Amino acid sequence: MLILQTMNQTPLHQDSFFGQIFDQTIEGLLVADAQGSIVDANEACLRMFGYESKSDLRGKRIDILIPTRLHHRHQGHFETYTQSPSPRPIKKSPEIWGLRKDGHEFPLEISLSPVNIQGNKYTLAYLIDVSERYLLSRSIQEGEALLQAIIETAVDGIITIDRKGKVESMNPAAARLFGYEPEEVVGNNVSMLMPEPYHSEHDDYLKNYHRTGIGKIIGIGREVKGRRKDGRIFPFSLSISKVEFHDRQIYTGIIHDISAMKEAEEKLRQYARDLERSNRELEDFAYVSSHDLQEPLRKIQAFGDWLREREQEKFSEKGQDYLNRMLNAAERLQQLINDLLTYSRVSTQAQPFRPVDLNDVLAGVLSDLELMITRQEATIEYDDLPTIEAEATQIRQVFQNLLSNAMKFRQADRPPMITIRREEGMIDGEYPAVILHIQDNGIGFDPKYKEKIFSIFQRLDGRKYEGSGIGLAIVKRIVNRHKGLITVNSELGKGSTFSIALPYHQIYPSEQPEVKKYE
């Protein structure tokens, strides 16, 4: 049916019906004689190899279309074929490569058929450019190789099982985790890696899943326990996915060992229990000690007052001085005991959080401090304050301690000037909070003590000012209970600014919350 050419290259029936079919076939067609010379090629073949006309190929050795590196192989194939010409099915790439006119190589698929015309033997080659298919196949192969490399080097264990629970593959991480060699596990039921009750329940679980489609682990993930080869039990996080692969179901399990995490969690829980017990014992000790000190202290004060009222005239001047010192010391001890009780009760006798209008709280504190404010001619300015979830009594204590401190540690040559400014902020970048800046013009302190002043019994001024050294410790403890944060900036002779961040709604941030201002 094809229009061929004779050995002397004279066209036969060039314009015949079959000649038109030859040239218009969309796949490449090439005719070669018994000596390996090209006799004819259709338009598709010319385009495939980058030639413009048939004259560019006629009479040329077929080697012109084959990369030089493959000439020796082609010669062997050609000799074998010419000795026993017969139809040959498609031979796929990458064994066969073509060479374009511009030197570019590309993969081919070829089928060969012998043709006899007028006693002359020819070979018809049917050519298919499979570059796209080859690139796709290569991409798939590279993807499979990459996936396999990822699985083999993955930190987490990866196990695949079939519909019946039989292990089909196990990566090195999973093998190390369970203490087996992969070949010891592959082919066996995956339940061999499970302790009871998972071991006995596994097959029924798979059956129920296949019957109902409801999975307790598949597509969900959970914490389970595994059994190593040596019998040890360990916890791990398991996530399972189902894949339909070639008309069958494959289940892939990703296994992450959480033994270290569980140990750390248990240590943390134990630490929290120990800390809670220690704090409770400390609070109980502070409360009991302070309470038990009240009775003998009251007797000291009572007898001291009795002596001062009835016997003071009988004392010498030095004796009267000693009596007054004793009563002053008893009064300071009374204040210390009361502050200790207040400190211990911040948590033990705390009340539930409720909406609290800070304006009302501040007004109550200013009323209590009215006499002190008047005597010192203090000026207190403040912004309108919001309503937050808090314990009113404790927030009142915060305001009272800070404002009374601001007036107590005043400059000798000027009246106290105190401002309370409000700013919007965030705790841990997530929880809305109000930030209160309480600034004074007092004596201030060296910034190196900015953390120390919140510790219990810390006094930077010695005994120059009255107080127990517990006031700011109480403030910090109350702020902490409200899941807030308190900081201070100060400079000697230039006053101090206490900044308190309190969440609008009670939250549970980290132990050291980060406070951010609204942009």
Side-chain angles (χ1 to χ4, degrees):
M1 69 178 227
L2 299 174
I3 302 302
L4 305 178
Q5 296 171 339
T6 61
M7 295 296 293
N8 60 9
Q9 314 267 316
T10 301
L12 293 177
H13 311 294
Q14 184 74 30
D15 298 323
S16 70
F17 171 72
F18 292 110
Q20 293 182 35
I21 294 177
F22 178 79
D23 278 333
Q24 294 176 12
T25 301
I26 62 174
E27 301 295 349
L29 296 176
L30 179 74
V31 179
D33 61 20
Q35 285 71 43
S37 296
I38 298 173
V39 175
D40 206 351
N42 70 349
E43 294 297 329
C45 182
L46 293 176
R47 289 192 299 272
M48 186 183 302
F49 286 92
Y51 290 90
E52 296 179 358
S53 67
K54 296 184 179 185
S55 61
D56 292 334
L57 293 179
R58 286 175 181 156
K60 304 289 179 60
R61 293 284 301 175
I62 198 170
D63 290 350
I64 194 176
L65 304 178
I66 300 171
T68 304
R69 62 185 177 83
L70 299 178
H71 280 182
H72 66 287
R73 183 190 300 176
H74 171 261
Q75 185 63 33
H77 291 326
F78 181 77
E79 292 175 357
T80 301
Y81 179 79
T82 54
Q83 291 174 4
S84 179
S86 61
R88 302 289 174 91
I90 289 178
K91 197 166 189 179
K92 296 184 178 181
S93 63
E95 297 179 8
I96 302 298
W97 288 81
L99 179 67
R100 291 192 175 94
K101 184 178 180 180
D102 61 7
H104 178 73
E105 296 183 11
F106 65 100
L108 282 170
E109 287 185 355
I110 299 179
S111 66
L112 303 176
S113 297
V115 179
N116 291 310
I117 295 180
Q118 300 177 351
N120 295 315
K121 294 181 179 181
Y122 300 95
T123 298
L124 172 64
Y126 180 83
L127 310 173
I128 302 175
D129 182 349
V130 292
S131 297
E132 292 185 3
R133 190 193 310 170
Y134 173 74
L135 292 176
L136 178 60
S137 174
R138 183 174 179 180
S139 176
I140 292 174
Q141 291 174 359
E142 290 177 350
E144 290 176 347
L146 177 61
L147 178 60
Q148 186 63 32
I150 292 173
I151 291 174
E152 292 296 314
T153 59
V155 175
D156 288 336
I158 302 175
I159 296 177
T160 61
I161 64 173
D162 63 14
R163 184 181 176 89
K164 295 182 179 180
K166 184 182 296 183
V167 177
E168 293 197 350
S169 67
M170 182 183 207
N171 76 336
R176 291 191 298 270
L177 188 59
F178 286 94
Y180 287 94
E181 293 297 327
E183 55 269 20
E184 296 180 272
V185 179
V186 173
N188 293 306
N189 194 294
V190 72
S191 61
M192 70 180 288
L193 305 176
M194 304 175 183
E196 295 294 351
Y198 308 109
H199 179 84
S200 301
E201 295 174 352
H202 179 260
D203 289 345
D204 289 338
Y205 170 77
L206 275 180
K207 292 177 182 177
N208 290 335
Y209 174 73
H210 294 147
R211 185 177 69 254
T212 66
I214 301 174
K216 297 179 180 178
I217 300 180
I218 297 174
I220 301 174
R222 61 183 292 187
E223 291 184 10
V224 296
K225 291 184 178 179
R227 181 178 62 195
R228 292 191 171 97
K229 184 177 181 180
D230 60 11
R232 289 182 297 156
I233 309 300
F234 69 99
F236 63 87
S237 172
L238 174 65
S239 58
I240 299 179
S241 59
K242 182 179 72 172
V243 178
E244 300 290 341
F245 185 73
H246 295 315
D247 298 327
R248 67 191 188 97
Q249 293 176 343
I250 298 294
Y251 299 96
T252 301
I254 308 296
I255 300 166
H256 180 69
D257 186 3
I258 57 175
S259 300
M261 183 183 73
K262 286 296 184 182
E263 291 176 4
E265 287 179 353
E266 180 56 33
K267 289 180 180 178
L268 186 60
R269 282 193 293 268
Q270 184 60 46
Y271 175 77
R273 288 193 293 266
D274 292 343
L275 184 60
E276 182 181 1
R277 183 176 62 254
S278 176
N279 286 339
R280 188 168 55 249
E281 291 173 351
L282 181 61
E283 290 168 356
D284 292 344
F285 172 77
Y287 178 78
V288 171
S289 298
S290 300
H291 187 272
D292 289 348
L293 287 173
Q294 296 276 21
E295 184 59 28
L297 179 59
R298 279 194 292 267
K299 289 183 178 180
I300 293 173
Q301 290 175 316
F303 284 121
D305 290 338
W306 186 87
L307 287 172
R308 184 161 57 184
E309 291 175 4
R310 301 186 183 185
E311 304 291 334
Q312 185 174 8
E313 295 180 355
K314 299 178 181 180
F315 292 169
S316 65
E317 185 178 343
K318 182 176 290 188
Q320 292 180 17
D321 180 55
Y322 288 159
L323 176 61
N324 290 330
R325 290 188 182 186
M326 179 188 74
L327 290 174
N328 288 336
E331 185 177 351
R332 290 197 302 272
L333 180 57
Q334 181 68 60
Q335 181 182 352
L336 177 60
I337 291 172
N338 291 337
D339 287 345
L340 275 174
L341 285 172
T342 300
Y343 184 83
S344 67
R345 289 169 177 167
V346 169
S347 298
T348 58
Q349 296 187 12
Q351 300 300 312
F353 295 116
R354 293 185 176 88
V356 173
D357 187 337
L358 296 182
N359 293 301
D360 293 341
V361 175
L362 180 58
V365 172
L366 294 178
S367 178
D368 292 343
L369 298 176
E370 184 177 3
L371 182 59
M372 187 177 185
I373 293 172
T374 301
R375 286 178 176 175
Q376 297 195 11
E377 299 179 346
T379 301
I380 301 178
E381 298 178 352
Y382 51 90
D383 293 340
D384 183 58
L385 303 181
T387 295
I388 66 172
E389 285 185 3
E391 184 182 340
T393 302
Q394 291 189 347
I395 297 299
R396 186 186 183 104
Q397 184 81 54
V398 169
F399 278 125
Q400 184 163 332
N401 286 10
L402 291 177
L403 293 179
S404 60
N405 273 3
M407 289 185 283
K408 180 180 9 177
F409 299 105
R410 56 175 293 183
Q411 296 275 10
D413 58 348
R414 72 187 70 165
M417 177 66 185
I418 305 169
T419 60
I420 303 176
R421 297 289 176 245
R422 166 188 175 178
E423 184 180 10
E424 298 301 312
M426 301 286 286
I427 291 181
D428 283 349
E430 182 177 359
Y431 305 100
V434 60
I435 305 177
L436 303 178
H437 301 288
I438 303 175
Q439 183 178 8
D440 64 57
N441 63 343
I443 62 174
F445 59 86
D446 192 320
K448 69 181 181 181
Y449 297 117
K450 63 187 301 182
E451 297 297 334
K452 183 179 180 181
I453 63 169
F454 292 109
S455 300
I456 195 168
F457 300 131
Q458 291 299 324
R459 298 170 59 93
L460 305 184
D461 59 302
R463 294 294 179 184
K464 181 178 179 181
Y465 296 90
E466 294 182 357
S468 62
I470 303 178
L472 289 179
I474 293 174
V475 169
K476 183 175 179 63
R477 195 167 192 198
I478 291 173
V479 172
N480 287 346
R481 180 182 174 246
H482 285 72
K483 310 303 178 188
L485 186 70
I486 182 170
T487 59
V488 62
N489 288 308
S490 187
E491 188 175 348
L492 277 173
K494 296 185 179 181
S496 304
T497 300
F498 288 85
S499 298
I500 305 172
L502 295 170
Y504 280 98
H505 303 284
Q506 279 307 300
I507 54 174
Y508 297 92
S510 59
E511 292 183 4
Q512 298 295 330
E514 178 186 1
V515 178
K516 295 182 179 179
K517 300 177 182 178
Y518 281 133
E519 297 296 338

